[in-house]
Amino acid sequence: MSTPEHVDVLIVGAGLSGIGAACQLRTHLPTKSVAVLEAREASGGTWDLFRYPGIRSDSDMFTFGYSWRPWPGDRALADGPSILAYLRTVAEEYGVDELIRYRHKVVRASWDSATARWTVEIDHDGTPVTMTASFLWGCAGYYDYEEPYAPEFAGTESFEGTIVHPQHWPEDLDHTGKRVVVIGSGATAITLVPALAETAGHVTMLQRSPTYVVSRPAHDRLATRLRRLPTRWSYPVVRWANILSGMATFQLARRRPRFVKGFVLKAARAQLPDTIDADVHFKPRYNPWDQRFCVVPDGDLFRALRKGRASVVTDTIDRFTPRGITLSSGEELEADLVVTATGFQVLAFGGIEVVVDGEVVDAGRRMAYKAMMLDGVPNFAFTIGYTNASWTLKADLISAYVVRLLRHLDETGARSAVPVRPPDVEEQPIMDFTSGYVLRALDKLPKQGDREPWRLRQNYVADLRTIKRAPIDDGVLAFDTVPAPEGDPTLTAV
Ligand SMILES: Cc1cc2nc3c(=O)[nH]c(=O)nc-3n(C[C@H](O)[C@H](O)[C@H](O)COP(=O)(O)OP(=O)(O)OC[C@H]3O[C@@H](n4cnc5c(N)ncnc54)[C@H](O)[C@@H]3O)c2cc1C
């Protein structure tokens, strides 16, 4: 059997996180050999997968863009194709596109302490491929690409119209003139409703319970004002203005929930037509930021509701009928097209089976170190972004940390680094979000601890200190400094 190909760093996933990670390695550790394995045949991850009408960011692009590569222009909430173009341009600029191996789905990764390396089993179009790596970096996102969350509704087989899930939007689906029902009240539903309403006969947003919906300008006012300045000056200013205002809003919502609740509701009332009762349809039962806020650019959702092109119904589904959906209240919604914007299934580490010295790692029983490594799993990092701010803010910090960690290993001659959890650190759920997709997955996700560096801060400024600047050798990471056997050139320290 031939020796498997070996790389210093193996990145799993060529989405925003994987591309960013590889760019940082290319920039700061150019001598490392790096491969990016991507299960699909295209890069961009989320921004290539989702093709539904209106697909866009709900974070501002000045924090959703990489800190080291300015997002061009003043558009704060950008459409999916522009985000995808940005990611692919960045990948090309940094030569990362050449590192990506498409249709390479990582199935299993086994760490062997004796040789200090990962053996990675890959499914390449049905053919098994094996690679080895000194360091494994999971940038595989957080949800199942194949199976979205699709609760069963009675009677769907009798429905004579079309049912689609936004994760698998058919390219040739024409909704022009159709009566559309969008089931859901999350970011996807809120994006879809005004986009579909432009040409549909009518769109009804059918929600079980309301969500906080806030309008924000599609263009960033500060970025517009600073347009004449070179981007290298204006971008950090606009980026920090957005970081700080986002953090301030989050803190205010956590500390003064009643005030923020009232403020958001008042703003919704002002934008809604008299026929829609904000208390019924836009007043959530939970506190602000117990779940993600939904952001609408320039109030597009409210505009569609005002124009009568869309409406909102808050009720539960009794069953599908041949003509539409009957609700618990007895009302029937007639529909030609039903969009089930019911969300994702969270999937940790791209579904990869992780094994350490023969023992399968149960992620649900591990604790996350700085929310980016797992206790007892050597030379492994994963990138998962913030839930209360742009994903990329955290992804960039993790990239900076991994670069520092790899440098530290090189400088000290250590072969591996592993977080070691002290027995007295108390376990807590990784997130205090009450969103369905989080609650459904909590037992499969690693835990957080009650203190640094095991706590998940969801706070960029605090993480600048704990992730970007804190010493690598912090007494929690343990290093294996056993020298590589002589004569084996692949066993260099990472
Ligand atoms: C519709 C939508 C809108 C969003 N909007 C925002 C927003 O505005 N702001 C924000 O902060 N976040 C947003 N998010 C979250 C978003 O997913 C992240 O911000 C970001 O795109 C994640 O990038 P990623 O590279 O970590 O993951 P992904 O984009 O999910 O990419 C992961 C990649 O890994 C690959 N992969 C997975 N498993 C394997 C495997 N086993 N082997 C090989 N490859 C694998 C996948 O094929 C994929 O290409 C949104 C998510 C969705 C679904």
Side-chain angles (χ1 to χ4, degrees):
M1 224 173 76
S2 60
T3 314
E5 183 190 357
H6 181 83
V7 288
D8 292 324
V9 186
L10 193 64
I11 296 172
V12 184
L16 181 150
S17 303
I19 291 173
C23 290
Q24 291 306 289
L25 290 176
R26 282 232 117 165
T27 307
H28 299 290
L29 297 169
T31 58
K32 295 268 176 233
S33 54
V34 178
V36 182
L37 301 185
E38 169 52 56
R40 302 177 68 241
E41 37 194 333
S43 62
T46 297
W47 303 101
D48 182 67
L49 176 73
F50 281 84
R51 303 286 177 98
Y52 59 76
I55 169 83
R56 59 165 172 80
S57 70
D58 56 7
S59 300
D60 72 273
M61 291 308 300
F62 308 96
T63 57
F64 197 56
Y66 300 112
S67 56
W68 37 269
R69 172 46 170 89
W71 167 255
D74 63 352
R75 192 150 190 103
L77 305 178
D79 59 273
S82 306
I83 299 172
L84 187 59
Y86 166 81
L87 293 177
R88 289 189 179 156
T89 306
V90 173
E92 252 177 64
E93 285 171 358
Y94 284 75
V96 161
D97 51 343
E98 293 160 15
L99 305 177
I100 305 173
R101 300 183 195 183
Y102 294 104
R103 303 190 311 281
H104 278 64
K105 180 176 182 157
V106 177
V107 182
R108 195 165 193 264
S110 315
W111 171 260
D112 174 42
S113 293
T115 54
R117 62 167 60 181
W118 288 97
T119 299
V120 178
E121 292 164 47
I122 302 149
D123 174 357
H124 176 41
D125 285 341
T127 306
V129 175
T130 304
M131 287 179 76
T132 58
S134 303
F135 195 94
L136 182 67
W137 193 345
C139 294
Y142 65 105
Y143 60 86
D144 189 334
Y145 266 65
E146 272 130 45
E147 294 291 327
Y149 178 63
E152 290 208 352
F153 299 112
T156 43
E157 67 296 338
S158 69
F159 179 54
E160 286 164 4
T162 309
I163 303 176
V164 294
H165 192 285
Q167 195 164 322
H168 301 302
W169 196 268
E171 218 173 297
D172 55 356
L173 183 66
D174 183 9
H175 59 275
T176 312
K178 294 204 170 130
R179 294 165 302 173
V180 186
V181 172
V182 177
I183 301 173
S185 60
T188 302
I190 278 180
T191 303
L192 267 164
V193 169
L196 293 171
E198 281 176 22
T199 54
H202 185 80
V203 183
T204 307
M205 184 168 100
L206 170 58
Q207 58 178 11
R208 198 168 41 179
S209 55
T211 307
Y212 288 102
V213 181
V214 289
S215 174
R216 75 172 282 173
H219 292 263
D220 187 283
R221 290 190 188 120
L222 182 59
T224 309
R225 235 176 283 146
L226 301 181
R227 215 166 23 190
R228 282 171 208 279
L229 289 180
T231 324
R232 67 176 190 286
W233 293 351
S234 60
Y235 187 63
V237 174
V238 180
R239 188 169 168 274
W240 269 104
N242 277 285
I243 290 172
L244 295 176
S245 70
M247 286 179 64
T249 317
F250 178 76
Q251 291 303 334
L252 185 66
R254 297 315 269 170
R255 286 171 197 189
R256 304 272 308 277
R258 276 166 65 98
F259 169 75
V260 172
K261 211 170 180 165
F263 183 81
V264 173
L265 197 63
K266 198 169 157 201
R269 247 183 232 125
Q271 297 173 84
L272 284 168
D274 294 342
T275 48
I276 297 181
D277 186 345
D279 285 330
V280 176
H281 303 295
F282 288 90
K283 189 177 175 186
R285 289 190 286 252
Y286 56 87
N287 273 336
W289 276 114
D290 281 353
Q291 299 185 16
R292 253 184 111 101
F293 261 70
C294 284
V295 180
V296 292
D298 294 332
D300 65 358
L301 173 73
F302 297 113
R303 199 166 49 246
L305 294 170
R306 278 200 306 274
K307 284 186 179 165
R309 300 205 59 82
S311 52
V312 54
V313 171
T314 305
D315 205 333
T316 48
I317 295 174
D318 177 43
R319 60 182 298 111
F320 275 67
T321 65
R323 290 186 309 167
I325 299 173
T326 52
L327 305 172
S328 305
S329 60
E331 190 186 345
E332 180 167 19
L333 299 176
E334 294 195 355
D336 308 304
L337 170 64
V338 174
V339 183
T340 52
T342 42
F344 316 105
Q345 299 209 78
V346 170
L347 184 66
F349 316 128
I352 302 168
E353 184 177 65
V354 178
V355 179
V356 173
D357 293 328
E359 191 193 328
V360 176
V361 173
D362 177 354
R365 299 171 70 114
R366 301 282 171 151
M367 191 172 276
Y369 169 83
K370 296 181 191 271
M372 51 173 274
M373 291 176 85
L374 285 185
D375 80 275
V377 183
N379 283 14
F380 173 66
F382 59 89
T383 296
I384 294 288
Y386 293 122
T387 47
N388 65 348
S390 280
W391 183 278
T392 322
L393 290 174
K394 181 72 176 287
D396 275 351
L397 289 180
I398 294 172
S399 294
Y401 182 88
V402 172
V403 165
R404 285 203 301 134
L405 175 62
L406 295 176
R407 254 195 211 130
H408 180 89
L409 293 176
D410 277 351
E411 284 162 11
T412 57
R415 296 189 306 167
S416 66
V418 60
V420 180
R421 166 186 170 183
D424 60 332
V425 180
E426 202 180 293
E427 267 186 18
Q428 293 173 357
I430 192 88
M431 275 183 235
D432 61 358
F433 252 32
T434 60
S435 307
Y437 69 94
V438 173
L439 296 179
R440 283 194 298 274
L442 270 184
D443 61 333
K444 292 184 224 125
L445 300 177
K447 306 286 178 278
Q448 65 167 316
D450 60 349
R451 71 192 81 147
E452 303 294 347
W454 304 97
R455 266 180 74 193
L456 171 63
R457 295 293 298 260
Q458 301 277 16
N459 180 319
Y460 180 70
V461 171
D463 281 346
L464 275 176
R465 184 171 42 79
T466 53
I467 299 180
K468 199 161 180 190
R469 303 207 181 101
I472 296 291
D473 191 356
D474 60 355
V476 178
L477 276 189
F479 299 94
D480 168 8
T481 46
V482 179
E486 267 184 39
D488 185 344
T490 61
L491 286 185
T492 49
V494 285

